[in-house]
Amino acid sequence: MKKKLISILAVCMLAVTLTACGGTEESKAPLEVQQSGYMVEDGFLYYGVKIHNPNEDYAVEFPTLRITAKDAEGNVINTEDQVFGYIAAGDTIGYGFLGMEVSAQPSSVDFEMVTNTEDYVDGSLYDKPQLKATDYKMTKDEFGGSTIAGNIVNDGADMDTVAVTVLFKDAEGNIAWGESTFVDHVKTGTTPFSLDIYSGKTTDDYEIWVTPW
């Protein structure tokens, strides 16, 4: 009876310890690449993604997006990692950029989130960013490029740097590719931005995302 009581107490202590430490490994869901798309121009891969943190109790610090281009046989053409600052609990971010060089047109491109256990932190450490782009407009130039200019509205705390991303969509409404610029000293209130796009493969259907960097 005494041994049985000790065993029960040990199990209870373990349960309390796991709860105090923020739960078990199984309670930390992986980050999700909800949408992705890419194009190749002049030997470089342009990509766009939407990444979601399904955890309501955990933020993720320094999440890494791994991008891998493959040929028709499944061989790796090139790969690279893109590291972000953080993703708040329950938040979704959009990002796109001119990525790695590719020696041939990929048959497929994989987008995978890479995280470690220690990347998950208490969700209360990071508020959801109160950032949005407003009053923006795309203007095309005589050389085939474009500029999207507008304002960043920050209803939260001052930020050192943010990424302003345009995600272009295809005819079916899916992400085709993306591009970003970075804006410093984004204080509470309104800050102007300007994003230059050198590719001529823009579409009239696009989204603008503003993400802390």
Side-chain angles (χ1 to χ4, degrees), residues 132-206:
K132 63 181 179 180
T134 64
D135 306 320
Y136 51 82
K137 179 181 178 181
M138 182 167 63
T139 304
K140 298 187 178 182
D141 61 37
E142 58 184 311
F143 304 105
S146 306
T147 298
I148 298 177
N151 291 308
I152 300 166
V153 176
N154 180 11
D155 291 329
D158 294 354
M159 300 209 168
D160 293 332
T161 305
V162 302
V164 179
T165 296
V166 55
L167 295 178
F168 291 105
K169 299 181 181 180
D170 60 22
E172 286 73 42
N174 302 312
I175 294 175
W177 63 284
E179 181 65 285
S180 292
T181 192
F182 300 92
V183 181
D184 296 328
H185 311 300
V186 180
K187 297 180 181 291
T188 303
T190 302
T191 302
F193 77 87
S194 179
L195 169 57
D196 293 325
I197 304 159
Y198 299 103
S199 172
K201 296 182 179 179
T202 59
T203 65
D204 293 330
D205 188 6
Y206 62 87

Side-chain angles (χ1 to χ4, degrees), residues 58-189:
Y58 297 102
V60 181
E61 294 181 323
F62 308 116
T64 299
L65 173 67
R66 178 158 296 162
I67 308 154
T68 305
K70 298 179 180 180
D71 64 18
E73 286 71 44
N75 301 309
V76 175
I77 299 173
N78 203 351
T79 185
E80 71 175 11
D81 289 351
Q82 174 62 63
V83 182
F84 304 93
Y86 69 92
I87 301 181
D91 200 16
T92 301
I93 66 171
Y95 184 72
F97 206 59
L98 185 162
M100 61 197 173
E101 187 173 4
V102 287
S103 58
Q105 177 70 34
S107 178
S108 65
V109 177
D110 295 334
F111 297 92
E112 174 192 8
M113 294 307 300
V114 181
T115 55
N116 297 312
T117 302
E118 58 269 23
D119 297 332
Y120 289 80
V121 298
D122 188 336
S124 64
L125 294 175
Y126 294 98
D127 293 330
K128 280 188 180 181
Q130 303 297 309
L131 296 163
K132 63 181 179 180
T134 64
D135 306 320
Y136 51 82
K137 179 181 178 181
M138 182 167 63
T139 304
K140 298 187 178 182
D141 61 37
E142 58 184 311
F143 304 105
S146 306
T147 298
I148 298 177
N151 291 308
I152 300 166
V153 176
N154 180 11
D155 291 329
D158 294 354
M159 300 209 168
D160 293 332
T161 305
V162 302
V164 179
T165 296
V166 55
L167 295 178
F168 291 105
K169 299 181 181 180
D170 60 22
E172 286 73 42
N174 302 312
I175 294 175
W177 63 284
E179 181 65 285
S180 292
T181 192
F182 300 92
V183 181
D184 296 328
H185 311 300
V186 180
K187 297 180 181 291
T188 303

